[in-house]
Amino acid sequence: MRIFITVLLFCFTLPSIAFSSETITIAIERNALERIQALSEILNVPIDKLEQIPDVKINRTTADVIILLRSLRMGGISSPIEYIEVPNARRSTAEVARGRAVLCSQQLNEDTIAVPGYKDAFLVSAPITRYGEFQKGFYTLLENTELLTARSATEINQRGKGIIGQHWNNDKQVLQNMGITNVIDAPTFDCMVKMLNAGRADWIPLEIATTQDFSKVLNGIRLIPIPGIKFSLLESRHFFVSRKHPRGKEIYGALQKGIKELRKRGFIHKILTQAGVFNPRTDSWTILNAEEMKKGK
């Protein structure tokens, strides 16, 4: 089955673009699109035809796309997939809200759509990552030895400046509630990494890698987490479906059916573990906001 890729170039306004009702239009960020293209080439199979978890290294956004497409196929949707490239999660939800795309490619928390005009724009799937499951570490450069010895939220706040995505609203709120206020934001993930490497920030909150030393290499820059500590985002994450899209309700029903079956089979937990969203090797690490996490359950 062919997979179509549509690249949208945005200026001050969004153009009116019509997509075939025979295809499933999915809004996706460039980095995620490039990764699934690369994975498809490595496996020599279209991503929407994957039936098993690939035995290669993947990240969260790739796992999200696989879960999404597998759910749709299991729910009975056989239409071709068409991707709309967007710069960030905010533009992704804007495309879905307008009905230009029927789905966002990644799971997001419900605060993402708590904005004016979005109240009746979305159908929200069953949770993919359930409340409290999405946890992050504090990633920094190897030479930032003082920050790497931090053991509390107070010490992190005192020893370095964090950087998050411009629309990472829940990260920002959770960090503030922990007393971590020394944080700035950036418009794109690539920009965040560049600013960290340039010394304009000291750490980024990221899901903990499955590598032996938990390190990540991003844009050629090696980052490691502060050992032994992490935090929970205190949220559940979902796929968003457009109410305005002609096939929105149909897609939503199929998606829910597929998610239920994948959850039953253990597929979701397995692939998110492989992607590093869940990391059993950090189960003993201290969750800095553990008490708040327990209150929400």
Side-chain angles (χ1 to χ4, degrees), residues 228-268:
I229 56 176
K230 58 184 179 177
F231 70 99
S232 168
L233 281 178
L234 305 180
E235 64 182 17
S236 57
R237 292 198 164 201
H238 313 255
F239 290 125
F240 297 150
V241 184
S242 175
R243 286 183 182 271
K244 293 186 177 181
H245 193 280
R247 298 185 66 183
K249 290 184 179 179
E250 173 198 359
I251 297 301
Y252 177 74
L255 181 65
Q256 291 287 77
K257 180 180 178 181
I259 289 172
K260 183 177 181 180
E261 183 60 29
L262 290 182
R263 176 75 67 188
K264 180 180 176 182
R265 296 184 183 188
F267 183 94
I268 293 175

CSV table of all heavy atoms in Angstrom, one decimal, residues 228-268:
chain,number,residue,atom,x,y,z
A,228,GLY,N,20.1,8.5,38.8
A,228,GLY,CA,19.4,8.2,40.0
A,228,GLY,C,18.1,9.0,40.2
A,228,GLY,O,17.4,8.7,41.2
A,229,ILE,N,17.8,10.0,39.4
A,229,ILE,CA,16.6,10.8,39.7
A,229,ILE,C,15.8,11.0,38.4
A,229,ILE,O,16.4,11.1,37.3
A,229,ILE,CB,16.9,12.2,40.3
A,229,ILE,CG1,17.9,12.9,39.5
A,229,ILE,CG2,17.4,12.0,41.7
A,229,ILE,CD1,18.2,14.3,40.0
A,230,LYS,N,14.5,11.1,38.5
A,230,LYS,CA,13.6,11.3,37.4
A,230,LYS,C,12.3,12.0,37.9
A,230,LYS,O,12.2,12.2,39.1
A,230,LYS,CB,13.3,10.0,36.7
A,230,LYS,CG,12.7,8.9,37.6
A,230,LYS,CD,12.5,7.6,36.8
A,230,LYS,CE,11.9,6.6,37.8
A,230,LYS,NZ,11.6,5.3,37.0
A,231,PHE,N,11.4,12.3,37.0
A,231,PHE,CA,10.1,12.8,37.4
A,231,PHE,C,9.0,12.3,36.5
A,231,PHE,O,9.3,11.9,35.4
A,231,PHE,CB,10.2,14.4,37.5
A,231,PHE,CG,10.2,15.0,36.2
A,231,PHE,CD1,9.1,15.6,35.6
A,231,PHE,CD2,11.4,15.2,35.5
A,231,PHE,CE1,9.1,16.2,34.3
A,231,PHE,CE2,11.5,15.8,34.3
A,231,PHE,CZ,10.3,16.4,33.7
A,232,SER,N,7.8,12.4,37.0
A,232,SER,CA,6.6,11.9,36.3
A,232,SER,C,5.9,13.2,35.7
A,232,SER,O,5.8,14.2,36.4
A,232,SER,CB,5.7,11.1,37.2
A,232,SER,OG,4.4,10.9,36.5
A,233,LEU,N,5.4,13.1,34.5
A,233,LEU,CA,4.7,14.2,33.9
A,233,LEU,C,3.3,14.3,34.4
A,233,LEU,O,2.6,15.3,34.0
A,233,LEU,CB,4.7,14.1,32.4
A,233,LEU,CG,6.0,14.5,31.7
A,233,LEU,CD1,5.9,14.3,30.2
A,233,LEU,CD2,6.3,16.0,32.0
A,234,LEU,N,2.8,13.4,35.2
A,234,LEU,CA,1.5,13.5,35.9
A,234,LEU,C,0.4,13.7,34.8
A,234,LEU,O,-0.4,14.7,34.9
A,234,LEU,CB,1.4,14.6,36.9
A,234,LEU,CG,2.5,14.6,38.0
A,234,LEU,CD1,2.4,15.8,38.9
A,234,LEU,CD2,2.4,13.3,38.8
A,235,GLU,N,0.3,12.9,33.8
A,235,GLU,CA,-0.6,13.0,32.7
A,235,GLU,C,-0.8,11.6,32.1
A,235,GLU,O,-0.1,10.7,32.3
A,235,GLU,CB,0.0,14.0,31.7
A,235,GLU,CG,1.2,13.4,31.0
A,235,GLU,CD,1.9,14.3,30.0
A,235,GLU,OE1,1.5,15.5,30.0
A,235,GLU,OE2,2.7,13.8,29.2
A,236,SER,N,-1.9,11.6,31.3
A,236,SER,CA,-2.0,10.5,30.3
A,236,SER,C,-1.9,11.1,29.0
A,236,SER,O,-2.0,12.3,28.8
A,236,SER,CB,-3.4,9.8,30.5
A,236,SER,OG,-4.4,10.8,30.3
A,237,ARG,N,-1.6,10.2,28.0
A,237,ARG,CA,-1.4,10.7,26.6
A,237,ARG,C,-2.2,10.0,25.6
A,237,ARG,O,-2.4,8.7,25.8
A,237,ARG,CB,0.1,10.6,26.2
A,237,ARG,CG,1.0,11.6,27.0
A,237,ARG,CD,2.3,11.9,26.3
A,237,ARG,NE,2.9,13.1,26.9
A,237,ARG,CZ,3.9,13.8,26.3
A,237,ARG,NH1,4.3,13.4,25.1
A,237,ARG,NH2,4.4,14.9,26.9
A,238,HIS,N,-2.7,10.7,24.6
A,238,HIS,CA,-3.8,10.1,23.7
A,238,HIS,C,-3.5,10.5,22.3
A,238,HIS,O,-2.7,11.5,22.0
A,238,HIS,CB,-5.1,10.7,24.1
A,238,HIS,CG,-5.4,10.6,25.6
A,238,HIS,ND1,-6.3,9.7,26.1
A,238,HIS,CD2,-5.0,11.4,26.7
A,238,HIS,CE1,-6.4,9.9,27.5
A,238,HIS,NE2,-5.6,10.9,27.8
A,239,PHE,N,-4.2,9.9,21.4
A,239,PHE,CA,-4.2,10.3,20.0
A,239,PHE,C,-5.4,11.2,19.8
A,239,PHE,O,-6.5,10.9,20.4
A,239,PHE,CB,-4.3,9.2,19.0
A,239,PHE,CG,-3.0,8.3,18.9
A,239,PHE,CD1,-3.0,7.0,19.2
A,239,PHE,CD2,-1.8,8.9,18.6
A,239,PHE,CE1,-1.9,6.2,19.1
A,239,PHE,CE2,-0.6,8.2,18.5
A,239,PHE,CZ,-0.6,6.8,18.8
A,240,PHE,N,-5.3,12.3,19.0
A,240,PHE,CA,-6.4,13.2,18.8
A,240,PHE,C,-6.9,13.0,17.3
A,240,PHE,O,-6.1,13.0,16.4
A,240,PHE,CB,-5.9,14.6,18.9
A,240,PHE,CG,-5.5,15.0,20.3
A,240,PHE,CD1,-4.5,15.9,20.6
A,240,PHE,CD2,-6.0,14.3,21.4
A,240,PHE,CE1,-4.1,16.2,21.9
A,240,PHE,CE2,-5.6,14.6,22.7
A,240,PHE,CZ,-4.7,15.6,23.0
A,241,VAL,N,-8.2,12.9,17.2
A,241,VAL,CA,-8.9,12.7,15.9
A,241,VAL,C,-9.8,14.0,15.6
A,241,VAL,O,-10.4,14.5,16.5
A,241,VAL,CB,-9.7,11.5,15.9
A,241,VAL,CG1,-10.4,11.2,14.6
A,241,VAL,CG2,-8.9,10.3,16.4
A,242,SER,N,-9.8,14.4,14.4
A,242,SER,CA,-10.5,15.6,14.0
A,242,SER,C,-12.1,15.3,13.9
A,242,SER,O,-12.5,14.4,13.2
A,242,SER,CB,-10.1,16.1,12.7
A,242,SER,OG,-10.9,17.2,12.2
A,243,ARG,N,-12.8,16.1,14.6
A,243,ARG,CA,-14.3,16.0,14.5
A,243,ARG,C,-14.8,16.6,13.2
A,243,ARG,O,-15.8,16.2,12.6
A,243,ARG,CB,-15.0,16.8,15.6
A,243,ARG,CG,-14.9,16.1,17.0
A,243,ARG,CD,-15.7,16.9,18.0
A,243,ARG,NE,-15.7,16.4,19.3
A,243,ARG,CZ,-16.5,15.5,19.8
A,243,ARG,NH1,-17.5,15.0,19.0
A,243,ARG,NH2,-16.4,15.0,21.0
A,244,LYS,N,-14.0,17.5,12.6
A,244,LYS,CA,-14.4,18.2,11.4
A,244,LYS,C,-14.1,17.5,10.1
A,244,LYS,O,-14.6,17.7,9.1
A,244,LYS,CB,-13.7,19.6,11.3
A,244,LYS,CG,-14.2,20.6,12.4
A,244,LYS,CD,-13.6,22.0,12.2
A,244,LYS,CE,-14.2,22.9,13.2
A,244,LYS,NZ,-13.7,24.3,13.0
A,245,HIS,N,-13.1,16.5,10.2
A,245,HIS,CA,-12.8,15.7,9.0
A,245,HIS,C,-13.9,14.8,8.6
A,245,HIS,O,-14.6,14.2,9.5
A,245,HIS,CB,-11.5,14.9,9.3
A,245,HIS,CG,-10.9,14.3,8.1
A,245,HIS,ND1,-11.4,13.2,7.5
A,245,HIS,CD2,-9.8,14.7,7.4
A,245,HIS,CE1,-10.6,12.9,6.5
A,245,HIS,NE2,-9.7,13.8,6.3
A,246,PRO,N,-14.2,14.7,7.3
A,246,PRO,CA,-15.3,13.8,6.9
A,246,PRO,C,-15.3,12.4,7.4
A,246,PRO,O,-16.4,11.8,7.6
A,246,PRO,CB,-15.2,13.9,5.4
A,246,PRO,CG,-14.5,15.1,5.1
A,246,PRO,CD,-13.5,15.3,6.2
A,247,ARG,N,-14.1,11.9,7.7
A,247,ARG,CA,-14.0,10.5,8.1
A,247,ARG,C,-13.6,10.4,9.6
A,247,ARG,O,-13.2,9.4,10.1
A,247,ARG,CB,-12.9,9.8,7.3
A,247,ARG,CG,-13.3,9.7,5.8
A,247,ARG,CD,-12.3,8.8,5.0
A,247,ARG,NE,-12.4,7.4,5.5
A,247,ARG,CZ,-11.5,6.5,5.0
A,247,ARG,NH1,-10.6,6.8,4.1
A,247,ARG,NH2,-11.6,5.2,5.4
A,248,GLY,N,-13.7,11.5,10.3
A,248,GLY,CA,-13.3,11.6,11.7
A,248,GLY,C,-13.9,10.5,12.6
A,248,GLY,O,-13.2,9.8,13.3
A,249,LYS,N,-15.2,10.4,12.6
A,249,LYS,CA,-15.9,9.5,13.5
A,249,LYS,C,-15.6,8.0,13.1
A,249,LYS,O,-15.4,7.2,14.0
A,249,LYS,CB,-17.4,9.7,13.4
A,249,LYS,CG,-17.9,11.0,14.1
A,249,LYS,CD,-19.4,11.1,14.1
A,249,LYS,CE,-19.8,12.4,14.8
A,249,LYS,NZ,-21.3,12.6,14.8
A,250,GLU,N,-15.5,7.8,11.8
A,250,GLU,CA,-15.1,6.4,11.3
A,250,GLU,C,-13.7,6.1,11.8
A,250,GLU,O,-13.5,5.0,12.3
A,250,GLU,CB,-15.2,6.4,9.8
A,250,GLU,CG,-14.6,5.1,9.2
A,250,GLU,CD,-14.3,5.2,7.7
A,250,GLU,OE1,-14.5,6.3,7.1
A,250,GLU,OE2,-13.8,4.2,7.1
A,251,ILE,N,-12.8,7.0,11.6
A,251,ILE,CA,-11.4,6.8,12.0
A,251,ILE,C,-11.3,6.6,13.5
A,251,ILE,O,-10.6,5.7,14.0
A,251,ILE,CB,-10.5,7.9,11.6
A,251,ILE,CG1,-10.5,8.0,10.0
A,251,ILE,CG2,-9.1,7.8,12.1
A,251,ILE,CD1,-10.0,6.8,9.3
A,252,TYR,N,-12.0,7.4,14.3
A,252,TYR,CA,-12.0,7.3,15.7
A,252,TYR,C,-12.5,5.9,16.2
A,252,TYR,O,-11.9,5.3,17.1
A,252,TYR,CB,-12.9,8.4,16.3
A,252,TYR,CG,-13.0,8.3,17.8
A,252,TYR,CD1,-11.9,8.7,18.6
A,252,TYR,CD2,-14.2,7.9,18.5
A,252,TYR,CE1,-12.0,8.7,20.0
A,252,TYR,CE2,-14.3,7.9,19.8
A,252,TYR,CZ,-13.2,8.3,20.6
A,252,TYR,OH,-13.3,8.2,22.0
A,253,GLY,N,-13.6,5.4,15.6
A,253,GLY,CA,-14.1,4.1,16.0
A,253,GLY,C,-13.1,3.0,15.7
A,253,GLY,O,-12.9,2.1,16.6
A,254,ALA,N,-12.4,3.1,14.6
A,254,ALA,CA,-11.4,2.1,14.2
A,254,ALA,C,-10.2,2.2,15.1
A,254,ALA,O,-9.7,1.1,15.6
A,254,ALA,CB,-11.0,2.2,12.8
A,255,LEU,N,-9.8,3.4,15.4
A,255,LEU,CA,-8.7,3.6,16.3
A,255,LEU,C,-8.9,3.0,17.7
A,255,LEU,O,-8.0,2.3,18.3
A,255,LEU,CB,-8.3,5.1,16.4
A,255,LEU,CG,-7.2,5.5,17.3
A,255,LEU,CD1,-5.9,5.0,16.7
A,255,LEU,CD2,-7.1,7.0,17.4
A,256,GLN,N,-10.1,3.3,18.3
A,256,GLN,CA,-10.4,2.8,19.6
A,256,GLN,C,-10.4,1.3,19.6
A,256,GLN,O,-9.9,0.6,20.6
A,256,GLN,CB,-11.8,3.3,20.0
A,256,GLN,CG,-11.8,4.8,20.3
A,256,GLN,CD,-11.1,5.2,21.6
A,256,GLN,OE1,-9.9,5.2,21.7
A,256,GLN,NE2,-11.9,5.4,22.6
A,257,LYS,N,-11.0,0.7,18.6
A,257,LYS,CA,-11.0,-0.8,18.5
A,257,LYS,C,-9.6,-1.4,18.4
A,257,LYS,O,-9.3,-2.3,19.1
A,257,LYS,CB,-11.8,-1.2,17.3
A,257,LYS,CG,-11.9,-2.7,17.1
A,257,LYS,CD,-12.7,-3.0,15.8
A,257,LYS,CE,-12.8,-4.5,15.5
A,257,LYS,NZ,-13.6,-4.8,14.3
A,258,GLY,N,-8.7,-0.7,17.6
A,258,GLY,CA,-7.4,-1.2,17.5
A,258,GLY,C,-6.5,-1.1,18.8
A,258,GLY,O,-5.8,-1.9,19.1
A,259,ILE,N,-6.7,0.1,19.4
A,259,ILE,CA,-6.0,0.4,20.7
A,259,ILE,C,-6.3,-0.7,21.7
A,259,ILE,O,-5.5,-1.2,22.4
A,259,ILE,CB,-6.3,1.8,21.2
A,259,ILE,CG1,-5.6,2.8,20.3
A,259,ILE,CG2,-5.7,1.9,22.6
A,259,ILE,CD1,-6.0,4.3,20.6
A,260,LYS,N,-7.6,-1.0,21.8
A,260,LYS,CA,-8.1,-2.0,22.8
A,260,LYS,C,-7.4,-3.3,22.6
A,260,LYS,O,-7.0,-4.0,23.5
A,260,LYS,CB,-9.6,-2.1,22.8
A,260,LYS,CG,-10.2,-3.0,23.8
A,260,LYS,CD,-11.7,-3.1,23.7
A,260,LYS,CE,-12.3,-4.0,24.8
A,260,LYS,NZ,-13.8,-4.0,24.7
A,261,GLU,N,-7.3,-3.7,21.3
A,261,GLU,CA,-6.7,-5.0,21.0
A,261,GLU,C,-5.2,-5.0,21.2
A,261,GLU,O,-4.7,-6.0,21.8
A,261,GLU,CB,-7.0,-5.4,19.6
A,261,GLU,CG,-6.5,-6.8,19.1
A,261,GLU,CD,-7.1,-7.9,19.9
A,261,GLU,OE1,-8.2,-7.8,20.4
A,261,GLU,OE2,-6.4,-8.9,20.1
A,262,LEU,N,-4.5,-3.9,20.9
A,262,LEU,CA,-3.1,-3.9,21.1
A,262,LEU,C,-2.8,-3.8,22.6
A,262,LEU,O,-1.8,-4.4,23.0
A,262,LEU,CB,-2.5,-2.6,20.4
A,262,LEU,CG,-2.5,-2.6,18.9
A,262,LEU,CD1,-1.9,-1.3,18.3
A,262,LEU,CD2,-1.7,-3.8,18.3
A,263,ARG,N,-3.6,-3.2,23.4
A,263,ARG,CA,-3.4,-3.1,24.8
A,263,ARG,C,-3.5,-4.6,25.4
A,263,ARG,O,-2.7,-5.0,26.2
A,263,ARG,CB,-4.4,-2.2,25.5
A,263,ARG,CG,-4.4,-2.2,27.0
A,263,ARG,CD,-3.2,-1.4,27.5
A,263,ARG,NE,-3.3,0.0,27.2
A,263,ARG,CZ,-2.3,0.9,27.4
A,263,ARG,NH1,-1.1,0.5,27.8
A,263,ARG,NH2,-2.4,2.2,27.1
A,264,LYS,N,-4.5,-5.3,24.9
A,264,LYS,CA,-4.8,-6.6,25.4
A,264,LYS,C,-3.6,-7.5,25.1
A,264,LYS,O,-3.3,-8.4,25.9
A,264,LYS,CB,-6.1,-7.1,24.7
A,264,LYS,CG,-6.5,-8.6,25.1
A,264,LYS,CD,-7.7,-9.0,24.3
A,264,LYS,CE,-8.1,-10.4,24.6
A,264,LYS,NZ,-9.4,-10.8,23.9
A,265,ARG,N,-3.0,-7.3,23.9
A,265,ARG,CA,-1.9,-8.2,23.5
A,265,ARG,C,-0.5,-7.8,24.1
A,265,ARG,O,0.4,-8.5,23.9
A,265,ARG,CB,-1.7,-8.1,22.0
A,265,ARG,CG,-2.9,-8.7,21.2
A,265,ARG,CD,-2.7,-8.7,19.7
A,265,ARG,NE,-3.8,-9.1,18.9
A,265,ARG,CZ,-3.8,-9.4,17.6
A,265,ARG,NH1,-2.7,-9.2,17.0
A,265,ARG,NH2,-4.9,-9.8,17.0
A,266,GLY,N,-0.5,-6.7,24.8
A,266,GLY,CA,0.7,-6.2,25.4
A,266,GLY,C,1.6,-5.5,24.4
A,266,GLY,O,2.8,-5.1,24.8
A,267,PHE,N,1.1,-5.2,23.2
A,267,PHE,CA,1.9,-4.6,22.2
A,267,PHE,C,2.4,-3.2,22.6
A,267,PHE,O,3.5,-2.8,22.4
A,267,PHE,CB,1.1,-4.6,20.9
A,267,PHE,CG,1.9,-4.0,19.7
A,267,PHE,CD1,2.5,-4.8,18.8
A,267,PHE,CD2,1.9,-2.6,19.4
A,267,PHE,CE1,3.2,-4.3,17.7
A,267,PHE,CE2,2.5,-2.1,18.3
A,267,PHE,CZ,3.2,-2.9,17.5
A,268,ILE,N,1.4,-2.4,23.1
A,268,ILE,CA,1.7,-1.0,23.5
A,268,ILE,C,2.8,-0.9,24.5
A,268,ILE,O,3.8,-0.1,24.3
A,268,ILE,CB,0.4,-0.3,23.9
A,268,ILE,CG1,-0.6,-0.2,22.8
A,268,ILE,CG2,0.8,1.1,24.5
A,268,ILE,CD1,-1.9,0.4,23.2
